[in-house]
Amino acid sequence: QSSTIKITRIIMEILYDLEEKLLRMQQLLQAGKAIKAKRLAEELLEEEPGLAEAHMTLGTIYENHLQDFARAATCYALAVRFDESIAIAWYALIRMQYYLSDYVALEHTCERALVHVHVYKFIVYQFHALAQEEQLHFKRAIRLLELAQLYAMQDGDLDTAKKHIQRVKVKMDIKRD
């Protein structure tokens, strides 16, 4: 029984250390010390490669501080891979795939994201629709925007989807001419 207690204590110390480092990483990032936060995130990932929060923070640093969107997308994909319940990781990954015009990956990610209860489906459908619009698939874009409307939980989101639909319909008319 004493060996069980010792093992439990060791596990608790490891978890406490990880939580402490995660908190420090967030504090560094909020203080504008992105490079130090990046180093700490990388250190954490050396210790625990499946730590979704560290991948998420690295993605944020690559996106917002280093403007390396491809690396940000990779980090967000790893965050999702290790913890599919982090809704913001799904949104960030979809957004990066959209910005990188990686529409095949975006479509696959959207399909995967939509099955999770934590995900605000409006955001997923909206980005998927915008990607379809950019590829000139207007009917599909409108259908996805209509689905986005069904899941809109705020009036502003509903208005946004309506404006997108109007814009896409204008483009459809131009394409016909």
Side-chain angles (χ1 to χ4, degrees):
Q1 191 179 30
S2 67
S3 64
T4 305
I5 293 171
K6 286 180 183 177
I7 292 170
T8 303
R9 283 186 184 152
I10 291 169
I11 292 170
M12 294 304 291
E13 286 176 22
I14 291 169
L15 291 174
Y16 179 76
D17 187 48
L18 284 175
E19 288 297 321
E20 207 172 85
K21 286 180 179 177
L22 283 169
L23 179 61
R24 179 73 181 132
M25 182 180 61
Q26 292 302 324
Q27 290 170 338
L28 286 168
L29 193 57
Q30 290 173 355
K33 298 178 180 177
I35 299 305
K36 287 184 180 181
K38 180 179 178 285
R39 275 191 235 121
L40 185 54
E42 291 168 341
E43 182 182 308
L44 273 166
L45 289 169
E46 284 179 25
E47 294 174 32
E48 187 62 46
L51 199 57
E53 295 89 346
H55 287 292
M56 190 67 202
T57 299
L58 266 181
T60 301
I61 292 166
Y62 281 121
E63 178 184 357
N64 298 326
H65 300 277
L66 302 174
Q67 283 71 51
D68 187 339
F69 301 129
R71 278 204 174 144
T74 299
C75 292
Y76 295 142
L78 287 167
V80 164
R81 177 178 168 200
F82 291 114
D83 188 350
E84 292 185 350
S85 70
I86 302 176
I88 196 163
W90 286 105
Y91 310 144
L93 176 56
I94 290 167
R95 188 179 63 249
M96 286 300 98
Q97 290 169 335
Y98 176 74
Y99 292 150
L100 293 167
S101 301
D102 190 353
Y103 301 130
V104 173
L106 183 142
E107 186 157 351
H108 177 70
T109 302
C110 288
E111 289 170 7
R112 290 178 47 224
L114 288 169
V115 301
H116 294 283
V117 294
H118 305 290
V119 170
Y120 183 35
K121 290 174 177 46
F122 170 83
I123 293 172
V124 176
Y125 281 121
Q126 178 178 278
F127 270 103
H128 195 176
L130 293 173
Q132 293 299 311
E133 178 185 356
E134 283 203 12
Q135 297 172 83
L136 306 180
H137 301 154
F138 298 130
K139 287 182 183 178
R140 180 136 167 80
I142 288 172
R143 180 66 189 129
L144 289 165
L145 288 165
E146 289 169 346
L147 287 168
Q149 286 180 308
L150 288 175
Y151 291 99
M153 300 303 289
Q154 300 172 21
D155 291 340
D157 290 343
L158 197 55
D159 293 340
T160 297
K162 287 177 184 177
K163 289 176 184 174
H164 286 320
I165 289 171
Q166 289 173 340
R167 182 188 65 250
V168 173
K169 285 182 177 179
V170 167
K171 289 181 178 184
M172 267 176 65
D173 290 341
I174 292 169
K175 188 178 176 185
R176 280 190 205 129
D177 292 342

